[in-house]
């Protein structure tokens, strides 16, 4: 697919998947988020919601009010005008404790990467991560920006009942989990900061495009957190 | 005024639902709500409830309730379940009033996978993100029902007993319409043809998140490393081993598997009422046809619900 073109793929009677590239890249995600912002600022009649992916945006509409052709024309118009650098997303500092049983995979990740556990934590904390997409389950924000040495494939087997708040790492991304669930990702810490905030005015801590820095915290500080 | 109900027995996956929580897919939250939205809307309309009122979705595990205090109108809709009031059989689509001492049982019958129990009044249940619909994988929202649990209905109303008409679009459908894609290009001609010719059956892997199908293997043509992207209720996603799954009310919001097709919304309620082992076929329509069908379906449903609203009162 040529760099600046979009491909509109119909999804049933209620959506268009707007593909902006085949492969993920920073510039591609910039365009996804620019289109997302443009739709939020100037929704076309019948627009329902937009859902960002790594290389595309799903645009859902009400088929009683519009159709694929009208939606495509509206989106194409926004795409032509929505280029340009993205504004920096809000920066969140998220405390993480990477000690003991809160980081059960630390020793194995250190062994596989040839780093010390402190070296792993330093890489996690030194990077600026970015909320690329939400997916999988409520509040699961996929963060990109993980330093290259920590890019590991998933574990061979999933672990059950991994607690909410776990810092999970795999496939070049990380997640702070929100539910107790099985996972095949590497568990490198735990955060006392819930991503599902419980605050009705702002129920999700991050917006897509926000930036995240992890701040290592001691076990004592983790235990004392509210 | 309140009415109180006591759960005597509840199978797994019996949950509180309402019209769902649309518009939060970008935060990883699917719409949830009833598997059979038409049946749920019919139950609420037959009681004079607002369209989004909370009620109970009954799985094939069944539900038995005692009314312990007060009186409350109820409507049972959805699949062809066996409904008994104090041991006396009622029609599968029925409304009436439960009074203190009454026992209502809803058990699987001759067809269907989901029944709806709507209540004339305001069912007390915890909201999450503005909706009392239960997101089954997390249990967030109104939640699952369990034996021994009490239910409270505020401002209950009594209703005259009546049989309800089961509308044609609410019957299970063995052929559902799809638009192809958005990733049909990842499947070769043989796999696309096998998808449309089947034969397919529902496998026992069947829940509020999705229906896994048994049928021809339709593996994607290339080994893929597709970047994760949004999926929809109705997406037919195909894993690397060629097994197809239709995503339903509590689906994950993103996935990295290609979608060969998407079931149109008008056919999803009827699809949800199939049972494991039932046959299923997919018929391709163009996106324009899908829009036309959606508009015709919405008009039919609106006319039917208006008729229910006039019933017997």
């Amino acid at each position: 697919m040529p760099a600046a073109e979009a491909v509109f793929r119909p999804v049933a009677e209620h959506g268009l998947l707007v593909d902006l590239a085949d492969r993920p890249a920073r510039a591609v995600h910039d365009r996804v988020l620019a289109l997302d912002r443009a739709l939020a600022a100037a929704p076309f009649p019948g627009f329902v919601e937009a859902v960002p992916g790594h290389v595309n945006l799903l645009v859902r509409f009400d088929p009683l009010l519009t159709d694929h052709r009208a939606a495509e024309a509206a989106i194409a118009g926004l795409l032509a005008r929505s280029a340009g650098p993205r504004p920096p997303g809000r920066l969140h500092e998220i405390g993480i404790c990477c000690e003991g049983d809160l980081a059960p995979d630390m020793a194995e990740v250190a062994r596989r990467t040839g780093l010390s556990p402190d070296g792993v934590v330093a890489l996690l904390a030194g990077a600026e991560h970015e909320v690329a997409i939400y997916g999988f389950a409520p509040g699961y924000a996929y963060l990109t920006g993980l330093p290259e040495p920590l890019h590991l494939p998933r574990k061979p087997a999933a672990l059950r009942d991994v607690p909410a708040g776990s810092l999970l790492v795999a496939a070049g991304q990380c997640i702070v989990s929100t539910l107790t669930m099985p996972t095949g990702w590497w568990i490198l810490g735990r955060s006392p900061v819930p991503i599902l905030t419980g605050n009705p005015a702002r129920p999700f801590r991050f917006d897509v495009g926000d930036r995240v820095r992890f701040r290592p915290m001691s076990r004592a500080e983790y235990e004392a957190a509210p | 005024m309140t009415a109180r109900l006591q759960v005597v027995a509840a199978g797994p996956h019996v949950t509180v639902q309402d019209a769902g929580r649309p518009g939060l897919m970008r935060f990883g939250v699917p719409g949830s709500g009833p598997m059979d939205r038409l049946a749920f809307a019919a139950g609420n309309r037959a009681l004079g409830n607002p369209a989004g009122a909370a009620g109970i979705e009954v799985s094939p595990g069944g539900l038995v309730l005692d009314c312990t205090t007060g009186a409350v109108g109820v409507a049972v809709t959805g699949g062809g379940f066996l409904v008994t009031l104090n041991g006396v059989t009622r029609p599968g689509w029925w409304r009436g009033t439960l009074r203190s001492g009454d026992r209502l049982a809803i058990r699987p019958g001759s067809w269907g996978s989901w029944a709806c129990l709507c209540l004339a009044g305001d069912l007390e249940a915890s909201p999450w993100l503005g909706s009392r619909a239960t997101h089954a994988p997390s249990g967030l929202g109104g939640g699952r029902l369990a034996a021994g649990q009490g239910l409270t209905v505020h401002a209950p109303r009594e209703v005259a007993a009546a049989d309800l008409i089961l509308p044609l679009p609410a019957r299970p459908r063995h052929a559902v319409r799809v638009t192809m894609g958005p990733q049909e290009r990842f499947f070769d001609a043989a796999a696309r043809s096998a998808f449309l010719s089947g034969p397919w059956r529902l496998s026992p892997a069947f829940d509020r998140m999705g229906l896994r199908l048994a049928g021809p293997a339709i593996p994607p043509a290339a080994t893929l490393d597709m970047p994760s992207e949004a999926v929809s209720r109705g997406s037919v996603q195909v894993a690397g081993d060629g097994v197809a799954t239709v995503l339903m009310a509590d689906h994950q919001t993103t996935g990295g598997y290609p979608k060969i097709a998407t079931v149109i919304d008008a056919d999803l309620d009827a699809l949800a009422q199939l049972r494991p082992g039932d046959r299923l076929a997919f018929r391709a329509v163009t996106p324009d046809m899908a829009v036309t069908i959606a508009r015709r379906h919405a008009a039919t449903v609106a006319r039917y619900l208006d008729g229910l609203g006039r019933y017997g009162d």
Side-chain angles (χ1 to χ4, degrees), chain B:
Chain B
M1 267 293 285
T2 57
R4 288 182 208 286
L5 306 168
Q6 179 86 12
V7 180
V8 177
H13 311 302
V14 176
T15 57
V16 174
Q17 295 295 335
D18 65 10
R21 51 179 74 75
L24 296 172
M25 290 245 292
R26 61 187 296 109
F27 295 111
V29 181
S32 297
M35 289 288 276
D36 185 342
R37 295 160 294 185
L38 172 57
F40 205 84
N44 273 331
R45 187 66 74 96
L47 296 173
N49 278 348
I56 295 163
E57 179 176 83
V58 182
S59 73
L63 175 69
V64 181
L65 288 173
D66 283 346
C67 181
T68 55
T69 308
V72 58
V74 298
V76 184
T77 61
F81 279 54
L82 292 172
V83 181
T84 61
L85 177 63
N86 301 324
V88 179
T89 302
R90 299 292 170 186
W93 278 57
W94 169 81
R95 74 168 194 201
T97 294
L98 298 185
R99 297 172 201 288
S100 181
D102 284 349
R103 172 166 291 187
L104 178 72
I106 303 171
R107 297 194 174 88
S110 53
W111 62 271
S113 286
W114 305 96
C116 308
L117 173 64
C118 296
L119 301 145
D122 185 16
L123 174 64
E124 189 175 297
S126 23
W128 176 57
L129 301 175
S131 160
R132 287 175 282 183
T134 306
H135 173 255
S138 66
L140 291 167
R144 302 178 190 92
L145 268 57
Q149 180 181 347
L151 298 170
T152 300
V153 182
H154 296 283
R157 301 182 309 278
E158 300 184 22
V159 300
D163 297 357
L164 303 176
I165 296 162
L166 166 63
L168 203 58
R171 294 169 200 262
R173 185 163 316 132
H174 294 276
V176 297
R177 292 161 290 188
V178 298
T179 60
M180 295 304 290
Q183 278 95 32
E184 79 279 22
R185 66 190 184 283
F186 292 164
F187 298 84
D188 62 22
R192 290 201 302 269
S193 157
F195 172 70
L196 290 173
S197 50
W200 296 100
R201 287 188 186 279
L202 267 66
S203 82
F206 171 104
D207 61 20
R208 284 183 47 84
M209 294 181 74
L211 317 176
R212 196 186 301 160
L213 304 181
I218 46 169
T223 46
L224 292 164
D225 185 18
M226 207 184 93
S228 281
E229 64 176 38
V231 300
S232 303
R233 187 169 179 158
S235 292
V236 185
Q237 79 176 18
V238 183
D241 55 7
V243 174
T245 298
V246 185
L247 303 184
M248 300 301 277
D250 288 341
H251 64 86
Q252 296 184 10
T253 56
T254 59
Y257 294 125
K259 278 80 67 186
I260 192 170
T262 311
V263 180
I264 66 172
D265 214 53
D267 288 356
L268 276 177
D269 293 346
L271 171 59
Q273 291 294 5
L274 295 179
R275 289 179 170 180
D278 280 351
R279 67 181 195 285
L280 175 65
F282 297 103
R283 306 269 180 262
V285 298
T286 64
D288 280 348
M289 286 162 70
V291 169
T292 302
I293 293 165
R295 291 174 178 175
R296 203 184 300 142
H297 180 73
T300 305
V301 167
R303 263 200 318 276
Y304 164 72
L305 292 178
D306 282 349
L308 270 183
R310 287 195 296 271
Y311 231 94
D313 289 313

Side-chain angles (χ1 to χ4, degrees), chain A residues 153-168:
Chain A
R154 286 163 195 232
K155 293 194 281 192
L159 188 66
R160 295 177 65 86
D161 295 334
V162 176
S166 294
L167 173 64
L168 311 176

